[in-house]
Amino acid sequence: MVMTSDYNKKRNDIIKELTTFKKIDYSFSDGHILGSMCSAPHPIAREVYIKFLETNLGDPELFPGTKQIESNLIQFIKELLHAPKNATGQIVSGGTEGNITAMWIAKKLSGKKEIILPQSAHFSFQKIASLMDMKLVSVPLTKQYTLDFTKVNGKITKDTAAVLGIAGSTELGTIDPLPELSDICFDENVFFHVDAAFGGFVIPFLQKLGYDVPEFDFQLKGVSSIAVDSHKMGYSAVSLGTLIIREDKWLDLISVESLYISVKKHAGILGTRSGGPVAAAYAVAKYLGMDGYKKIVENCMNTTRYMQEKLDEIGLTLIIKPTMNVLGVKLSKPDIVAKRLSENGWRVNTMNHLSCIRIVLMPQITKEIIDEFIPILKKTCEEVGEL
Amino acid sequence: MVMTSDYNKKRNDIIKELTTFKKIDYSFSDGHILGSMCSAPHPIAREVYIKFLETNLGDPELFPGTKQIESNLIQFIKELLHAPKNATGQIVSGGTEGNITAMWIAKKLSGKKEIILPQSAHFSFQKIASLMDMKLVSVPLTKQYTLDFTKVNGKITKDTAAVLGIAGSTELGTIDPLPELSDICFDENVFFHVDAAFGGFVIPFLQKLGYDVPEFDFQLKGVSSIAVDSHKMGYSAVSLGTLIIREDKWLDLISVESLYISVKKHAGILGTRSGGPVAAAYAVAKYLGMDGYKKIVENCMNTTRYMQEKLDEIGLTLIIKPTMNVLGVKLSKPDIVAKRLSENGWRVNTMNHLSCIRIVLMPQITKEIIDEFIPILKKTCEEVGEL
């Protein structure tokens, strides 16, 4: 492809058009997206992503170097989650694909179709039910919005394929009683999947920082698989997650024969997939290391506390005391408040079923941004009669 | 994130390490990857991809501009495939996800689980069978490696959820008898999915160039859905495909409620997904336009013919006369030839079940590259006794 002046002219027109669209988007970099569990990627992620853009890990023998980076990333995540030696990982596009893949394995392992899960399960489980014809058996929550373990009793039956526990719920960042769930699943020999899409890069560091959080990873003997997203608190680029499974042989259950690509067996849901996000996530993990992630979690928890204090000062209350850097702010009309904020350039997520807005204190949210946001939130709440 | 000298030092070390891995990869740019259906992306794709890297179309109200670009891309693909007004598109990561999504819709529409498909179906259908507990009813091929329509008779029953036809098979780039399949599916009211992952950006232009190829798109009244990949002959970056479905209301069948992102209904398999590949594919489509794609297909068919002649000159024969820019080269020991070529830096794909290697004449493969390759192929074949 020769770069001619004709190329430049056409290129400029297209970039101009796309830039017009881009300007309508909200942006992570100004800190005005307060409700998302993603962020702008770490600078090294951008640089590395584009370098590996054209690699295709769906055809790994063409890209043995990138495949090695993928193995290194999986190794890093295994260490993060204290995975045993026999464990392996499957790179996925994020928590949704991680959850689907885990349930695919559980279905194949057990030959059964019921999933026992907390009411707060991510909506990807609705997809799983529809796609895979699995049945969701819902367990009510405690007043702290975690799975009520006393209600699990009797739900595990001969039809149970898997139990789900959440380590950092999408709604409020809560952690289910994972040690108890692990024990019962171990005793009953039932597949136990932990959705740590958000919490996987938070909880290990909360533990190191002295917060009182339960064990959540493969140190619990009943845990069969954990999904964790590098594109959430792993500070890398969308879309990249990892599903770690306790036994590498389980991958065979979701592998099919491939007759015309470079490997003869192909595991997992997707085919062609870029090595870009994989190399990016590895570069960020390598750049930050465990100490870097600990520092990020420390900072996020500090801004979380700061946000809490400021909300308290203007008279707003939380649904529950936060476990991690996720806040549910009680409102009687969350949709109206969110809409008004949106018109002023700020984005929070609404959860009408909990009558709250969600604010996630991602790494890019600073105290300065909070100081800018709070008066606008206050004014908005006053205008619509929330305060 | 402040760029300090400390950042630069660490950054340089990581880039150095990753570059070492990258050097082990084969590369599209030198033309030595001859077996893949992907290529290095068009230059404008790279530039645009990174610009939209952080956007998340899984949470579209945060990125209304990028969402609009997605709609424009879908509109372009709809026009390419002569989709009717009621049709809509679902952006997917590629043919595999497109096929899964189509079969998900077919299963929901029909309440049935059998898929009638040619023996040459992509291996993603093995995944579909395993993931969704669907049953594959295989139809034998003709000597031209297309679905043998005379063998379909009696296979469509009350249990049929869908019929699959291929427009550009992964093995040999063949096209199934789509008009005949369309008619029978229309008459029997059965969902008819066309896998045009490779051929979707080829066949429309072969038609314009005067090649004798059958109708394959929504002009056939029985066609229910078509999957096409921008990252194959669409000349954009991995991973990006589009599934076009005839009736937009079918999306409701694969939509679930989402309680905490910006939209209340969410269709399709994956959750978080970057707008990068979407904006890139749109930029390439806009840059090339229908005329640009026609020119690319014309060039690819010219190099295909050139490769054919050169293979003929050294005494190698093809499995079948090619329909598009995909060649199956007969060998008695394709694996051994491919391994030797690989050791010399050239990659072709092997298909042992057809006793051939696959060569795909993607846009980056020039006559010069063919002239470089042919003597090496000849020498290799002589060394292992193929010639």
Side-chain angles (χ1 to χ4, degrees):
Chain A
M1 181 59 47
V2 187
M3 301 286 188
T4 62
S5 66
D6 180 52
Y7 174 81
N8 285 329
K9 164 80 177 71
K10 268 179 143 177
R11 176 243 170 236
N12 291 345
D13 289 349
I14 292 167
I15 297 290
K16 201 174 153 191
E17 181 196 341
L18 294 182
T19 304
T20 313
F21 288 123
K22 188 82 172 68
K23 279 187 187 145
I24 312 169
D25 285 352
Y26 294 83
S27 157
F28 289 113
S29 51
D30 63 8
H32 284 204
I33 298 179
L34 284 169
S36 173
M37 288 184 153
C38 297
S39 65
H42 189 281
I44 203 168
R46 300 180 73 87
E47 186 180 0
V48 167
Y49 195 120
I50 197 71
K51 201 177 165 74
F52 286 82
L53 182 63
E54 72 180 54
T55 63
N56 172 13
L57 285 168
D59 207 352
E61 285 199 10
L62 296 183
F63 306 101
T66 308
K67 180 72 192 164
Q68 185 57 51
I69 295 170
E70 179 172 89
S71 301
N72 292 359
L73 174 63
I74 290 170
Q75 188 54 37
F76 179 89
I77 306 285
K78 277 181 65 176
E79 283 165 23
L80 177 72
L81 302 175
H82 299 98
K85 205 161 156 275
N86 275 351
T88 191
Q90 177 79 359
I91 294 294
V92 289
S93 62
T96 292
E97 192 190 343
N99 290 336
I100 298 175
T101 307
M103 292 307 101
W104 187 8
I105 292 171
K107 176 167 76 83
K108 285 288 169 185
L109 261 178
S110 66
K112 294 164 188 177
K113 293 215 168 189
E114 281 190 14
I115 305 167
I116 297 168
L117 77 184
Q119 268 175 2
S120 50
H122 185 259
F123 69 88
S124 52
F125 281 86
Q126 302 288 340
K127 297 188 185 187
I128 288 166
S130 172
L131 182 70
M132 299 166 71
D133 300 305
M134 295 185 83
K135 189 183 160 198
L136 307 182
V137 180
S138 191
V139 181
L141 305 183
T142 65
K143 284 180 180 163
Q144 292 308 306
Y145 294 92
T146 58
L147 176 142
D148 185 347
F149 187 70
T150 65
K151 305 283 167 62
V152 172
N153 209 356
K155 290 205 165 59
I156 297 179
T157 70
K158 61 173 181 39
D159 298 318
T160 307
V163 171
L164 168 72
I166 307 174
S169 72
T170 320
E171 295 177 336
L172 296 167
T174 52
I175 307 174
D176 287 329
L178 303 175
E180 292 82 351
L181 289 169
S182 167
D183 282 347
I184 197 170
C185 288
F186 187 82
D187 290 344
E188 303 274 350
N189 196 25
V190 166
F191 194 96
F192 178 39
H193 174 59
V194 176
D195 181 351
F198 187 80
F201 273 99
V202 182
I203 303 170
F205 307 105
L206 287 179
Q207 288 168 340
K208 283 178 184 155
L209 290 163
Y211 285 82
D212 181 27
V213 282
E215 286 300 322
F216 86 109
D217 65 15
F218 287 99
Q219 290 176 96
L220 299 172
K221 63 186 175 179
V223 168
S224 307
S225 62
I226 304 180
V228 53
D229 281 356
S230 286
H231 67 230
K232 292 192 169 90
M233 284 292 285
Y235 211 170
S236 193
V238 287
S239 312
L240 204 282
T242 304
L243 175 72
I244 303 287
I245 56 176
R246 185 177 283 275
E247 298 286 345
D248 53 10
K249 67 183 178 203
W250 292 344
L251 270 195
D252 291 343
L253 299 167
I254 57 162
S255 293
V256 299
E257 209 186 355
S258 54
L259 294 172
Y260 26 75
I261 58 167
S262 57
V263 288
K264 299 302 165 207
K265 251 169 64 177
H266 187 101
I269 297 171
L270 303 185
T272 298
R273 59 190 176 86
S274 171
V278 177
Y282 177 67
V284 176
K286 189 94 182 169
Y287 181 86
L288 293 172
M290 298 298 175
D291 282 348
Y293 281 118
K294 184 177 148 193
K295 188 78 198 152
I296 285 174
V297 170
E298 190 175 14
N299 287 342
C300 289
M301 292 307 287
N302 285 341
T303 49
T304 302
R305 215 158 19 236
Y306 189 74
M307 179 68 98
Q308 251 183 290
E309 287 164 16
K310 294 292 156 184
L311 290 167
D312 190 53
E313 280 174 21
I314 63 171
L316 290 173
T317 53
L318 302 182
I319 296 273
I320 49 163
K321 183 170 168 286
T323 308
M324 49 187 81
N325 47 329
V326 181
L327 298 176
V329 185
K330 258 192 218 170
L331 292 170
S332 55
K333 306 170 206 109
D335 255 352
I336 293 173
V337 174
K339 190 164 173 287
R340 289 253 182 151
L341 287 172
S342 173
E343 286 158 6
N344 285 309
W346 294 84
R347 293 292 313 202
V348 296
N349 288 35
T350 58
M351 299 186 293
N352 284 321
H353 60 299
L354 300 181
S355 200
C356 73
I357 55 172
R358 183 185 77 182
I359 294 175
V360 189
L361 284 303
M362 294 300 289
Q364 79 275 16
I365 311 299
T366 59
K367 290 185 179 175
E368 290 69 33
I369 290 167
I370 296 171
D371 287 339
E372 201 190 325
F373 172 68
I374 286 289
I376 293 163
L377 177 64
K378 181 166 185 273
K379 187 162 172 280
T380 307
C381 286
E382 283 167 352
E383 282 169 4
V384 304
E386 292 274 358
L387 282 177
Chain B
M1 181 59 48
V2 187
M3 302 284 187
T4 62
S5 66
D6 179 53
Y7 174 82
N8 286 330
K9 164 79 177 74
K10 268 178 143 177
R11 175 245 170 234
N12 292 346
D13 288 348
I14 292 166
I15 297 292
K16 202 173 152 190
E17 180 196 342
L18 294 182
T19 305
T20 313
F21 288 123
K22 189 81 173 63
K23 280 187 186 145
I24 311 169
D25 286 352
Y26 293 84
S27 158
F28 289 112
S29 51
D30 64 7
H32 285 205
I33 298 180
L34 284 168
S36 174
M37 288 184 152
C38 298
S39 64
H42 190 281
I44 203 168
R46 299 181 73 86
E47 187 180 358
V48 167
Y49 196 121
I50 197 72
K51 202 177 163 73
F52 286 82
L53 183 63
E54 72 180 52
T55 63
N56 172 14
L57 285 169
D59 207 352
E61 286 199 8
L62 296 184
F63 307 102
T66 308
K67 180 72 190 164
Q68 185 57 50
I69 295 170
E70 179 173 88
S71 301
N72 292 359
L73 174 64
I74 290 170
Q75 188 54 37
F76 180 88
I77 306 284
K78 277 181 65 176
E79 283 165 25
L80 177 73
L81 302 175
H82 299 97
K85 206 162 155 274
N86 276 351
T88 191
Q90 176 80 358
I91 294 295
V92 289
S93 61
T96 292
E97 193 189 342
N99 291 334
I100 299 175
T101 307
M103 292 307 101
W104 186 8
I105 291 171
K107 176 168 76 82
K108 284 288 169 186
L109 261 177
S110 66
K112 294 164 187 177
K113 294 217 168 185
E114 280 190 15
I115 305 167
I116 297 168
L117 77 183
Q119 269 176 2
S120 50
H122 185 260
F123 70 88
S124 51
F125 282 86
Q126 303 288 340
K127 296 187 186 186
I128 289 166
S130 173
L131 182 69
M132 297 166 71
D133 299 305
M134 295 185 82
K135 188 183 159 197
L136 306 182
V137 181
S138 191
V139 181
L141 305 184
T142 66
K143 284 179 181 165
Q144 293 307 306
Y145 294 92
T146 57
L147 176 141
D148 185 348
F149 187 69
T150 65
K151 305 284 168 59
V152 172
N153 210 355
K155 290 205 163 59
I156 297 180
T157 69
K158 60 172 183 38
D159 298 319
T160 306
V163 172
L164 168 72
I166 307 174
S169 72
T170 320
E171 294 177 337
L172 296 166
T174 53
I175 307 175
D176 286 330
L178 303 175
E180 292 83 350
L181 289 169
S182 166
D183 282 347
I184 197 170
C185 288
F186 187 83
D187 291 345
E188 303 275 350
N189 196 24
V190 166
F191 194 97
F192 178 38
H193 174 61
V194 176
D195 180 352
F198 187 79
F201 273 99
V202 183
I203 304 169
F205 308 105
L206 287 179
Q207 287 168 341
K208 284 178 184 156
L209 290 162
Y211 284 82
D212 181 26
V213 281
E215 287 299 323
F216 87 108
D217 65 15
F218 287 100
Q219 290 177 96
L220 298 172
K221 63 185 176 180
V223 167
S224 308
S225 62
I226 305 180
V228 53
D229 281 357
S230 287
H231 67 231
K232 292 191 171 88
M233 283 293 284
Y235 213 172
S236 193
V238 288
S239 313
L240 204 281
T242 304
L243 176 72
I244 303 287
I245 58 176
R246 187 176 282 274
E247 299 285 346
D248 53 11
K249 67 183 177 202
W250 293 345
L251 270 195
D252 292 343
L253 299 167
I254 56 162
S255 293
V256 299
E257 209 187 355
S258 53
L259 295 172
Y260 26 76
I261 58 167
S262 57
V263 288
K264 299 303 166 208
K265 250 169 66 177
H266 186 100
I269 297 172
L270 303 185
T272 298
R273 59 190 176 85
S274 172
V278 177
Y282 176 67
V284 176
K286 189 95 182 169
Y287 181 86
L288 292 172
M290 297 298 176
D291 283 346
Y293 280 118
K294 184 177 149 194
K295 189 76 197 150
I296 286 175
V297 170
E298 190 174 15
N299 289 341
C300 289
M301 291 308 286
N302 286 340
T303 50
T304 301
R305 217 160 14 239
Y306 188 74
M307 179 69 98
Q308 251 184 289
E309 288 163 16
K310 295 293 158 184
L311 290 167
D312 189 53
E313 281 174 20
I314 64 171
L316 289 174
T317 53
L318 302 181
I319 297 271
I320 49 163
K321 183 172 167 285
T323 307
M324 48 188 81
N325 48 329
V326 182
L327 299 175
V329 185
K330 259 190 217 170
L331 292 171
S332 54
K333 305 169 206 110
D335 255 352
I336 292 172
V337 174
K339 189 164 173 287
R340 289 254 183 151
L341 287 171
S342 172
E343 286 157 7
N344 285 309
W346 294 84
R347 293 293 312 202
V348 297
N349 287 36
T350 59
M351 299 185 293
N352 284 320
H353 60 299
L354 301 180
S355 199
C356 73
I357 55 172
R358 183 185 76 182
I359 295 174
V360 188
L361 284 304
M362 294 300 289
Q364 79 275 16
I365 310 299
T366 60
K367 291 185 180 177
E368 291 70 33
I369 290 167
I370 296 171
D371 286 340
E372 201 190 325
F373 172 66
I374 286 289
I376 292 163
L377 178 64
K378 182 167 184 274
K379 187 162 172 278
T380 306
C381 285
E382 284 167 352
E383 282 169 5
V384 304
E386 292 274 358
L387 284 176

